[in-house]
Amino acid sequence: MLERFWNMLDVEPDEEGPVSLLLIMSFFMGLFLATVAVASQTLFLNQFDEQFDLPKAIAISGVMGMAATLIYNGLQGRISFIALAIFNLILIIGLTAVLEFGDSYIEDTKNLHRFGFMLLLPFAFLIQLIFWGSFNRMFNVRVAKRIIGSVDIGTDIAAIISFFSIPVLLTSGLEVESLYTIGLFSIITYLLLFILLSTKYLTKGRAYLTSESDIKKLSLVQFLSNRYIMLLSLFVIVSIIGLQFVDYSFFNATTNQFSNVELPYFLSYFEAMVVIFSFLFTTFATDRINQDYGLRVSLIINPIILIIFTVSALGLGWFFGYDITTGEKSSIVFFFIAVAMSKLFINSLRDALDSPTFKFYYVPIDKSINIDAQTKIEGFVTALASAIAGGLIVLVNQFEIFNVLSITLFTLPVLVIWYLITNRMYHGYRDTLQESLIKNKSAVRTHIVKEYTMDSVLEKEVNSTAEEKVIYGLKLMEKLEPALFETSLLQLADSKLKRVRKFAQEKIQKLGIQLGETNEIRGLAAQAAGAAEDSDLLSISTEKLMKLSKSIKQTDRMLAAKLMRKLTNQKTIFILLELMRDPDPKVRNEALLTARKVKRPETWSVLIELLSSPLYAHHAAAALKEAGEPVLPYLESAFHKSGQNDLVMLKLIQIMGHIPGKESLQMLWKKIDYPDKRIVKQILYSLRYINY
């Protein structure tokens, strides 16, 4: 059951420990953010004017977020990441405790509740910077890309549980302020889990750990002069302004629609729907959209949908009213629904699609500044955007001619700019990626040793010390060079690399390859077992073997192909020839493997025909190479066959070059003046392969 869970998340065995802790941490992170958000929003909206006090609170919250992230970024690199994270988490615990117990010591609790609302943004920034900072330091780019969508699903689960539990708790008599207690417990647990994570996986000596000394800090001038980083920052600023404008309209419409008693219930259920929609979208659509339509389309979906709903809200608010003073409560519900749908989509798609997709845009940034740039953008720039949004709403509210509907109107140009910047950012992504590749290629050019044959490239890959490279090379070798693959498996069966050793042993067992035995008794036992097996196989009649090969079941025909390795003779060879032309790829591959093992001349003409097949050419070539010198006359005859396929001719030259001996060398030399330059070039490659 647990193994199936890890397979579903695409997590390798040696990654289970750190990913498990990150999943549990993300659960308590979600629990903390959900409970504190509902408590703070409810207490603030119940006691303050959402039209005038809300934008000021948003702006101040953004300034506080900027200050928090500036301090975080300033200390990053100067002190260890572990000490920095623990310091910030203790600070969050202390401030949460003030929100929970401070009403006993503060006369005007309204100021405390205002302070609690303004702390939401800094809390979210710091706790997520710590979470993703840990993630980025533990895994390299390849691993991170594979598991990035899995490590924070605990946040969604915790949020769903929290948002559905809060109304039940409130109904049973729990005070809204008591939600801070749940949040306090969650953040303390988060701190303890982080300490455990840092002790086990963030200490020196870990394979993927990024050292603090490797993190280069960007100065303000460097940050502003980097065009691509500025595009990423503009995208964040515009999207956050759009988000805050929608939030402002939503909170105004919500307080018109619900009483103070109903408000926390509605906010809980609504936020639960946002999380559920986000979770479903992430599970069933995000990867599909990214794979089928690319990064550009993924990021323009949100602004396009929001433009549609914002135009709808504007029209409905204009005709039916948008608050109690401009229409009946029964009619302003249309404006409320349109705004609520805007918030549902912008919040859920931001979490499900925008955030994971946006992380790919960090890939082209130089690895030495990547972490610092990401910290600045996701911290300081995001907080700056929130402050700008709050300031713009405050500015609009200074003019009496503007109202809540005006903010909805001003949201439209922001969404259009969002769309345009996304397109520019995508082009910047492609250009920056290309520049990074050219730069990296130039940097390693002096260390490049050209390899001219597939064998040498694959052998170099499987001789690497990196587990992932070895396994990837073996998987390629299995498809491209089956004979070489089997030899490499035997060599790697006792590898020091755990995953490589496990992969090799599993494949050896699956393929039924015999490991070399030095022990004489074991050798005799294996010989006796083989003799007994041969005896059992010989008892199978040709008619029964033919019946198996004609069966409609794939497994029966595969069994027949395997049996032919011991039963191939003059009477049964036609069965193998038929199986080599079987329409089922698995059956045909098994038959080709048998043909490679038995090395019967009757199969060589079929193998040569299959050299033109993209699916079976490598298996056919491997069988012909193993046949050795006896197959050379067949290859020569096939090369000079009238109307022979050019691709087959090239492959025949390759195979000749892989068969050692004077005869193959003479055959190659006879063709050195062949009129087709591609053939001559392949002959030269083959001669180079044998070090002629």
Side-chain angles (χ1 to χ4, degrees):
M1 183 68 180
L2 195 59
E3 186 177 349
R4 189 177 299 175
F5 173 73
W6 293 124
N7 289 336
M8 183 183 71
L9 297 183
D10 203 12
V11 174
E12 299 291 345
D14 60 336
E15 299 158 4
E16 290 174 5
V19 173
S20 299
L21 279 171
L22 286 171
L23 282 170
I24 301 169
M25 282 175 66
S26 71
F27 177 84
F28 285 100
M29 177 171 69
L31 193 61
F32 171 76
L33 294 175
T35 51
V36 172
V38 171
S40 298
Q41 289 172 2
T42 301
L43 293 169
F44 180 84
L45 293 173
N46 282 345
Q47 298 180 27
F48 292 95
D49 188 311
E50 65 279 356
Q51 186 170 352
F52 297 103
D53 294 321
L54 179 60
K56 293 177 184 176
I58 291 172
I60 296 170
S61 178
V63 172
M64 291 171 64
M66 287 166 57
T69 51
L70 272 175
I71 295 169
Y72 181 93
N73 195 254
L75 292 174
Q76 184 175 255
R78 290 181 171 84
I79 63 174
S80 72
F81 172 71
I82 297 172
L84 178 62
I86 292 174
F87 167 75
N88 280 281
L89 288 173
I90 291 173
L91 184 63
I92 293 171
I93 290 169
L95 291 172
T96 309
V98 169
L99 297 177
E100 167 61 8
F101 305 110
D103 54 355
S104 303
Y105 306 97
I106 297 174
E107 292 183 8
D108 190 357
T109 56
K110 287 180 67 175
N111 290 328
L112 183 66
H113 297 154
R114 188 207 302 266
F115 183 61
F117 181 82
M118 293 188 297
L119 280 175
L120 284 179
L121 202 61
F123 280 179
F125 286 160
L126 291 175
I127 198 170
Q128 291 195 29
L129 282 173
I130 292 166
F131 182 85
W132 291 111
S134 304
F135 177 82
N136 289 331
R137 284 166 173 80
M138 282 194 294
F139 302 108
N140 60 24
V141 174
R142 184 181 293 177
V143 177
K145 188 176 179 181
R146 172 163 47 82
I147 65 175
I148 195 168
S150 306
V151 295
D152 64 340
I153 59 172
T155 305
D156 294 336
I157 296 169
I160 293 169
I161 293 171
S162 302
F163 288 132
F164 278 115
S165 301
I166 287 170
V168 177
L169 295 172
L170 294 176
T171 305
S172 62
L174 187 77
E175 295 292 330
V176 175
E177 291 87 341
S178 299
L179 293 176
Y180 285 125
T181 306
I182 301 173
L184 188 60
F185 165 77
S186 303
I187 193 64
I188 290 172
T189 308
Y190 183 90
L191 170 62
L192 296 174
L193 289 168
F194 174 78
I195 292 171
L196 179 61
L197 179 83
S198 60
T199 304
K200 294 185 70 175
Y201 302 108
L202 287 175
T203 51
K204 290 183 179 179
R206 293 292 299 170
Y208 299 139
L209 185 64
T210 301
S211 171
E212 297 298 318
S213 60
D214 296 335
I215 301 172
K216 183 181 176 183
K217 296 184 75 66
L218 283 167
S219 67
L220 181 62
V221 175
Q222 290 173 324
F223 188 88
L224 295 174
S225 61
N226 190 310
R227 187 179 176 186
Y228 181 63
I229 291 177
M230 287 305 295
L231 277 173
L232 297 183
S233 301
L234 283 173
F235 172 83
V236 170
I237 290 171
V238 174
S239 61
I240 292 294
I241 290 173
L243 175 69
Q244 295 289 14
F245 276 22
V246 170
D247 276 355
Y248 176 76
S249 301
F250 173 77
F251 286 130
N252 275 275
T254 301
T255 51
N256 280 322
Q257 200 67 32
F258 297 98
S259 66
N260 289 352
V261 176
E262 296 169 328
L263 191 59
Y265 294 89
F266 170 74
L267 288 175
S268 296
Y269 287 131
F270 184 82
E271 292 293 345
M273 290 306 300
V274 169
V275 176
I276 291 171
F277 188 86
S278 174
F279 181 77
L280 292 174
F281 200 91
T282 302
T283 306
F284 299 108
T286 299
D287 289 340
R288 185 72 180 270
I289 291 171
N290 276 327
Q291 289 171 10
D292 294 352
Y293 301 103
L295 301 181
R296 175 181 167 272
V297 173
S298 298
L299 289 185
I300 64 173
I301 290 174
N302 212 345
I304 290 173
I305 291 176
L306 285 173
I307 288 171
I308 296 169
F309 279 111
T310 303
V311 171
S312 303
L314 200 60
L316 292 169
W318 183 271
F319 286 108
F320 297 104
Y322 51 87
D323 63 24
I324 300 297
T325 60
T326 61
E328 297 291 331
K329 189 168 184 178
S330 58
S331 61
I332 65 172
V333 70
F334 298 111
F335 175 73
F336 166 74
I337 290 172
V339 171
M341 290 300 293
S342 297
K343 182 169 173 63
L344 173 66
F345 276 98
I346 194 171
N347 280 33
S348 56
L349 289 181
R350 179 175 169 78
D351 292 337
L353 193 57
D354 289 4
S355 294
T357 303
F358 187 69
K359 287 190 181 346
F360 289 121
Y361 280 82
Y362 291 117
V363 172
I365 300 174
D366 189 277
K367 64 179 182 180
S368 63
I369 61 171
N370 190 292
I371 290 179
D372 187 64
Q374 189 171 348
T375 302
K376 282 183 167 68
I377 292 171
E378 295 185 356
F380 177 79
V381 173
T382 307
L384 175 64
S386 185
I388 293 172
L392 288 173
I393 298 172
V394 170
L395 182 63
V396 169
N397 282 334
Q398 298 302 311
F399 300 92
E400 293 184 2
I401 58 171
F402 295 129
N403 48 43
V404 175
L405 200 62
S406 303
I407 298 295
T408 307
L409 177 63
F410 292 146
T411 307
L412 280 175
V414 173
L415 297 176
V416 173
I417 295 170
W418 183 350
Y419 174 84
L420 295 173
I421 286 177
T422 301
N423 283 323
R424 291 289 300 274
M425 187 175 72
Y426 177 70
H427 293 302
Y429 165 80
R430 295 188 63 177
D431 294 341
T432 308
L433 187 61
Q434 190 172 359
E435 289 171 8
S436 298
L437 291 172
I438 292 169
K439 181 181 176 182
N440 291 337
K441 185 178 179 181
S442 301
V444 300
R445 184 170 289 163
T446 55
H447 303 291
I448 291 176
V449 177
K450 288 189 177 180
E451 301 289 355
Y452 294 96
T453 66
M454 189 188 301
D455 292 13
S456 55
V457 172
L458 292 174
E459 284 176 349
K460 185 177 179 181
E461 193 79 1
V462 300
N463 289 329
S464 169
T465 55
E467 287 184 335
E468 290 184 358
K469 286 186 71 176
V470 177
I471 292 174
Y472 181 68
L474 285 171
K475 287 179 179 177
L476 276 178
M477 195 180 281
E478 184 179 13
K479 301 291 183 186
L480 304 178
E481 293 290 341
L484 188 61
F485 173 68
E486 292 181 7
T487 306
S488 299
L489 287 179
L490 294 172
Q491 292 172 352
L492 295 170
D494 297 319
S495 171
K496 294 179 181 179
L497 302 174
K498 183 181 175 183
R499 284 173 56 202
V500 173
R501 184 171 65 251
K502 183 181 177 184
F503 179 87
Q505 290 173 353
E506 286 177 353
K507 285 291 182 181
I508 287 170
Q509 187 176 2
K510 183 179 178 182
L511 295 172
I513 304 169
Q514 293 288 329
L515 287 167
E517 298 287 356
T518 55
N519 188 299
E520 185 180 359
I521 298 174
R522 286 188 178 184
L524 291 171
Q527 187 178 353
E533 183 185 1
D534 290 348
S535 177
D536 292 339
L537 289 170
L538 290 170
S539 65
I540 299 174
S541 65
T542 305
E543 290 76 17
K544 189 172 182 181
L545 192 60
M546 187 186 298
K547 189 176 179 181
L548 280 173
S549 69
K550 299 285 186 182
S551 172
I552 59 171
K553 292 182 180 179
Q554 178 202 64
T555 51
D556 287 348
R557 301 200 306 280
M558 287 180 69
L559 176 61
K562 289 179 181 178
L563 291 172
M564 288 298 297
R565 290 167 201 170
K566 298 288 185 182
L567 297 174
T568 299
N569 53 47
Q570 203 64 36
K571 293 181 180 180
T572 59
I573 187 65
F574 71 93
I575 297 175
L576 177 58
L577 295 175
E578 285 184 5
L579 290 170
M580 288 171 68
R581 292 188 171 92
D582 195 280
D584 189 284
K586 289 186 177 180
V587 175
R588 194 181 289 198
N589 282 332
E590 204 65 58
L592 290 173
L593 179 57
T594 298
R596 177 154 63 87
K597 300 287 186 186
V598 298
K599 302 178 184 178
R600 295 282 299 196
E602 295 90 341
T603 64
W604 294 342
S605 58
V606 180
L607 292 171
I608 292 170
E609 287 176 22
L610 290 175
L611 290 175
S612 60
S613 167
L615 285 176
Y616 309 109
H618 295 296
H619 292 281
L624 291 168
K625 288 173 189 175
E626 285 210 4
E629 284 197 5
V631 81
L632 287 172
Y634 290 81
L635 300 179
E636 181 74 5
S637 176
F639 182 86
H640 294 290
K641 183 181 176 182
S642 177
Q644 183 62 275
N645 188 314
D646 291 351
L647 180 63
V648 173
M649 293 172 76
L650 286 168
K651 288 188 179 293
L652 290 169
I653 295 296
Q654 286 178 0
I655 295 165
M656 287 178 187
H658 278 74
I659 297 173
K662 290 183 179 179
E663 189 177 352
S664 60
L665 184 60
Q666 288 173 357
M667 285 182 178
L668 291 173
W669 263 121
K670 285 178 184 177
K671 301 172 185 61
I672 199 68
D673 58 351
Y674 197 82
D676 190 327
K677 289 183 179 179
R678 293 175 302 161
I679 299 294
V680 175
K681 195 173 184 180
Q682 185 57 57
I683 291 170
L684 293 173
Y685 282 147
S686 297
L687 291 172
R688 179 186 285 141
Y689 175 75
I690 58 176
N691 293 320
Y692 179 71

